[in-house]
Amino acid sequence: MNSCILVVDDDQAIVNAIAILLEREGYQVLRAYDGRQALEMVAEEQVDLLIIDVMMPRMDGLSAVLRIREKRNLPIIVLSAKSENTDKILGLSMGADDYVTKPYNPEELVARVNSQLRRYTQLGDIRSRDTVKTYCTGRLSYNPIEQMLLVDGEPVHLTATELKIIDLLMRNLGRIFPAEEIYSRVWEEQPCAPENTVMVHIRRIREKIELNPKEPEYLKVVWGVGYKMEKVETRC
């Protein structure tokens, strides 16, 4: 079955244009016109990817993203006329995997949809070839086959993007990765000003795994170089 994409925008013309674009690529497309309607459709339908505007009536897009993230782990692309870096950082911080500004390039939007779906659907195939059961450091343990990160034995809910970052860093404990390399490996595309995007996702991961995210014990920045997962003594 072809992937199902939910397109959400209060501008019906934009929704229809994106729907036609994606249907030509073979995707099934659902339409919604505000945040609340998006929540209802995600709950009722098998949605594989969400494209959502920010400024909408009844419930704005970012509020909807927060609510959806509480229950579903699916790729989310924010499509917005707000193009400032602060807007992009806010969108990523609230759970989006990608942020595309209007007016959008149709070919670029399709490429980003394909990339996000590939990232989410291929994780299982990649992990199935893994022979190492668990990577451990301190209170953290990561099972690449089950795609599961535990903190003090409790599972941590990660988006697919966060999971790929964790996978990269846990497999290479102590190794420093520049933001550009993390972006290239995780987003699978050439980096273009990747620092903010990577930083936002690193911050979100820290909030989930660190006792004090402002003074991280595990996911550390090496100023001017990059990020690493610290090797800490463990009994795992």
Side-chain angles (χ1 to χ4, degrees):
M1 180 181 294
N2 293 336
S3 297
C4 179
I5 300 174
L6 174 59
V7 181
V8 190
D9 198 302
D10 60 338
D11 189 325
Q12 186 172 348
I14 291 178
V15 172
N16 289 338
I18 295 175
I20 292 171
L21 177 68
L22 295 174
E23 286 169 347
R24 287 175 179 169
E25 297 294 319
Y27 293 114
Q28 178 186 353
V29 179
L30 300 175
R31 297 165 170 84
Y33 304 100
D34 61 60
R36 288 187 182 178
Q37 192 177 8
L39 287 178
E40 295 169 0
M41 297 192 74
V42 168
E44 296 171 359
E45 305 287 345
Q46 182 55 51
V47 176
D48 298 304
L49 183 143
L50 173 66
I51 299 175
I52 189 166
D53 186 26
V54 174
M55 302 301 294
M56 294 184 295
R58 295 215 298 167
M59 178 183 290
D60 68 87
L62 295 184
S63 296
V65 168
L66 275 176
R67 295 278 297 277
I68 289 169
R69 274 285 177 247
E70 293 174 357
K71 297 182 178 181
R72 287 289 308 275
N73 184 25
L74 78 166
I76 298 176
I77 299 175
V78 169
L79 182 66
S80 175
K82 304 177 74 173
S83 59
E84 296 294 328
N85 279 339
T86 52
D87 297 317
K88 181 177 181 179
I89 291 172
L90 178 61
L92 295 172
S93 297
M94 296 181 77
D97 294 288
D98 204 350
Y99 193 103
V100 177
T101 57
K102 299 176 182 177
Y104 63 91
N105 180 300
E107 293 182 355
E108 179 185 357
L109 181 60
V110 169
R112 289 179 181 273
V113 167
N114 293 338
S115 176
Q116 289 296 332
L117 286 171
R118 184 169 61 248
R119 184 177 310 140
Y120 270 67
T121 57
Q122 287 185 351
L123 277 171
D125 296 336
I126 294 171
R127 302 307 166 252
S128 65
R129 299 193 294 268
D130 214 307
T131 57
V132 177
K133 290 186 177 181
T134 308
Y135 297 88
C136 298
T137 177
R139 299 161 39 247
L140 311 184
S141 62
Y142 172 63
N143 185 314
I145 297 175
E146 297 180 358
Q147 304 172 41
M148 179 68 67
L149 177 71
L150 303 179
V151 178
D152 291 327
E154 295 295 324
V156 179
H157 177 72
L158 299 169
T159 68
T161 302
E162 294 165 355
L163 181 61
K164 288 197 75 172
I165 295 173
I166 283 292
D167 184 86
L168 175 64
L169 298 180
M170 288 295 290
R171 290 170 183 267
N172 298 275
L173 292 172
R175 177 180 168 184
I176 303 170
F177 288 89
E180 292 83 359
E181 184 173 355
I182 294 175
Y183 190 95
S184 295
R185 288 182 178 231
V186 172
W187 278 263
E188 299 177 5
E189 60 187 29
Q190 289 299 313
C192 179
E195 291 80 7
N196 284 341
T197 300
V198 173
M199 177 187 66
V200 168
H201 285 83
I202 292 292
R203 186 170 65 210
R204 280 165 45 185
I205 295 171
R206 281 175 174 165
E207 291 171 352
K208 298 178 180 181
I209 70 173
E210 301 283 0
L211 292 175
N212 182 357
K214 294 183 178 179
E215 297 182 5
E217 179 181 5
Y218 299 103
L219 189 40
K220 295 189 174 183
V221 60
V222 180
W223 296 108
V225 183
Y227 299 93
K228 69 174 180 176
M229 187 67 74
E230 191 73 90
K231 295 178 70 172
V232 179
E233 184 177 354
T234 179
R235 295 180 181 180
C236 178

